Every structure is written in C-alpha cells, then in structure tokens.
Amino acid sequence: MKNVQANKPGKKYARMSIVLAAALFLVGCQSELYSNLKERDVNEMISVLAVNGIQANRTTDGKGTFGLTVDRSDFSLAISKLSEKGLPREQFGSLGKIFNSEKLVSTPFEERARFMHALNEELSNSISRINGVVSARVHLMVPEDSPFEQNKTPPRASVFIYQQGGQDLRQQIPTIKNLIVNSLDNLEYSNVEVALFEDNTAATATSSNHTISSINNNGLWNVFLLVLLGAVAWYGFNFTSAASNKKQRQKALTSKSKS
C-alpha cells in the first residue's frame, strides 16, 4: 500500500511529461491551405501572410505547380487574410488550352487561334527579358481577312508590363513598340498601346523579412520553453522517485534497528 502511495507523485509527473511531449509534437503540425498554384501566386500569398504575422511554407509536386501550408492554429486566419486580398487569384483558361492540338482534325479558325496564341507568348517572353520587367503579356488583335470587306480593320496590339518596384521603363516604350510592330504585318506604330504597372510583391516580401524573422524566433522560443518544461517534469519525476526510495530505505533501516 505504501509503495502505491509513494508512486503517485511519480505517475503525476510522468503524465505531465507525456502531455508536454504531445504539445511539442503538435508545434510543427502543418495543414495544406491551397494546392495546384503557380509559383508567382504562392510567393505573393506568402508575402501577404508574413505581413499579417502568419508563417507559411511553399511545397511543390515536382510538376511545375506549388502548394501552401500553414500551422493548424493559423488556418482560418490565413484564409481570411488571403480572401481580403483576393487571393488566390482566379485562374483563367488561355487560348493555348482551349484550342489545343490534341484533335486529329483542326478547323482553320483553331489553327489561326493557336498561331496567334503562340505569337503572343513569344512576344511576351521577349519583353519579359528586358531588364526591370517582372512579367509581360501581349495581346494581338488581328482581324481575319475577308475578300468582301472593302475597309479592312487594321491590326492592333496591347502590352501589359509589370515593372520592378522603383524602376521606370517609360524610356523603353518606343523599343517595345518597335518590337511588336516588326513582328506582325500591317501593324502600325500608333496602334500599339503599352501600359506599365509597378509590381510591389518583391518590395512587400523585403519589408516583411523582419516579421518572418520575428515569427521564426518566437516559434523557436516556444519550442525551447516546451523542451525546458519537459526537462523539469522529467527531473521532478526522477527526483520524486529518488526521494520516495530514500524515504522507504530510511523506514526499513529504522524498523530493523527497533527490532
């Protein structure tokens, strides 16, 4: 009976150690927030979450798409903050996917659509290589030739460019227009419109580095505290057991001396 009572404090500390170990394990639990995303979208979402004090991690499936994970405790808040920014952005189908080349027989309209899509992609790729350009999209509008049309509509082009924060590409607009004009027959310089927009994603990510470091430091500090508490519980368990055994030995010696 005495042994059972003496072991009660030890069992108490053992249960505390198990609870603390479970808590330590749950610290690193991650939940997938979104999947099948583009790299640019994932980076933008990570930046937004970091600004709001939420640590997120990027995952990849090895096929060119990415996922986003956060701590389970931040799951609901992360969805709310991303929704406020309209993230993740809606995915729109491109002409390349709509008019794919998997069909055995394609109509002339489909062939033309694929050609225009390929030309848009090539021009977008070329402009994206200009220093200071984050991304670019080119949209060519080329009316279909008709022998019955007397006044033909001239082709037009629109170029959307996202430039790096702090960059000014207005001096490059004439060069960009000439690149588009020389890539398409009958396209006039005046019918090419170039729109510049500043991309703040990189700047936001840079400004949030301190926030990310703070989050990481707090997470490490919490883990350290849990480990420390676990060590204290383990020490208390062993100390209680040792004290109990010592007390039992003293009682045994006292009983022997009396006998």
Side-chain angles (χ1 to χ4, degrees), residues 20 22 39 41 63 73 75-76 84 102 105 108 113 132 149-150 153-154 214 218 227 233:
L20 290 172
E39 185 176 11
D41 294 335
K63 299 179 180 178
S73 58
F75 190 87
S76 299
E84 292 176 1
E102 295 179 357
V105 179
E149 186 178 1
Q150 295 182 352
T153 304
S214 177
N218 289 335
V227 173

Side-chain angles (χ1 to χ4, degrees), residues 44 69 72 82 86 88 103 127 154 200 246:
E44 185 177 6
T69 62
R72 289 181 180 177
L82 291 175
K103 296 181 180 179
I127 296 173
N200 294 319
K246 182 178 180 180

Side-chain angles (χ1 to χ4, degrees), residues 30-259:
Q30 296 277 309
S31 293
E32 187 175 53
L33 200 62
Y34 293 103
S35 60
N36 197 28
L37 298 171
K38 295 181 180 179
E39 185 176 11
R40 176 183 174 84
D41 294 335
V42 170
N43 292 339
E44 185 177 6
M45 294 165 72
I46 290 176
S47 177
V48 170
L49 292 176
V51 170
N52 288 278
I54 302 173
Q55 184 179 11
N57 298 307
R58 186 179 68 176
T59 62
T60 180
D61 58 2
K63 299 179 180 178
T65 57
F66 299 84
L68 189 67
T69 62
V70 297
D71 290 337
R72 289 181 180 177
S73 58
D74 295 329
F75 190 87
S76 299
L77 181 60
I79 291 180
S80 175
K81 293 300 181 181
L82 291 175
S83 298
E84 292 176 1
K85 297 293 184 179
L87 298 172
R89 302 189 187 280
E90 184 178 355
Q91 300 295 325
F92 298 96
S94 64
L95 286 175
K97 293 181 178 179
I98 296 173
F99 298 106
N100 56 58
S101 57
E102 295 179 357
K103 296 181 180 179
L104 295 177
V105 179
S106 299
T107 64
F109 177 78
E110 290 175 334
E111 292 289 346
R112 185 172 181 275
R114 278 198 292 271
F115 169 76
M116 295 305 303
H117 174 71
L119 184 57
N120 287 335
E121 290 293 302
E122 286 296 323
L123 290 172
S124 300
N125 183 33
S126 298
I127 296 173
S128 298
R129 296 177 181 275
I130 298 175
N131 187 32
V133 176
V134 176
S135 65
R137 295 290 295 172
V138 177
H139 300 278
L140 298 175
M141 195 282 290
V142 183
E144 192 171 1
D145 292 335
S146 174
F148 305 101
E149 186 178 1
Q150 295 182 352
N151 298 322
K152 296 183 179 181
T153 304
R156 297 178 180 274
S158 298
V159 184
F160 298 84
I161 296 177
Y162 287 89
Q163 60 185 3
Q164 293 178 359
Q167 295 283 340
D168 187 1
L169 297 178
R170 285 178 294 181
Q171 296 181 353
Q172 301 292 341
I173 289 180
T175 303
I176 295 171
K177 283 189 174 184
N178 286 325
L179 174 65
I180 303 298
V181 168
N182 294 327
S183 301
L184 189 66
D185 291 338
N186 301 322
L187 178 60
E188 297 181 2
Y189 184 90
S190 59
N191 288 333
V192 179
E193 184 67 27
V194 177
L196 298 176
F197 302 92
E198 186 169 346
D199 184 87
N200 294 319
T201 303
T204 305
T206 301
S207 64
S208 63
N209 282 339
H210 297 294
T211 304
I212 295 174
S213 299
S214 177
I215 294 171
N216 291 334
N217 291 335
N218 289 335
L220 292 174
W221 176 247
N222 291 333
V223 172
F224 172 75
L225 287 178
L226 287 173
V227 173
L228 181 61
L229 289 174
V232 171
W234 177 84
Y235 176 78
F237 169 74
N238 286 276
F239 179 79
T240 303
S241 299
S244 177
N245 293 333
K246 182 178 180 180
K247 188 175 182 180
Q248 289 179 6
R249 287 195 299 270
Q250 289 177 350
K251 285 183 178 180
L253 293 173
T254 303
S255 60
K256 285 182 180 181
S257 61
K258 287 182 180 181
S259 59

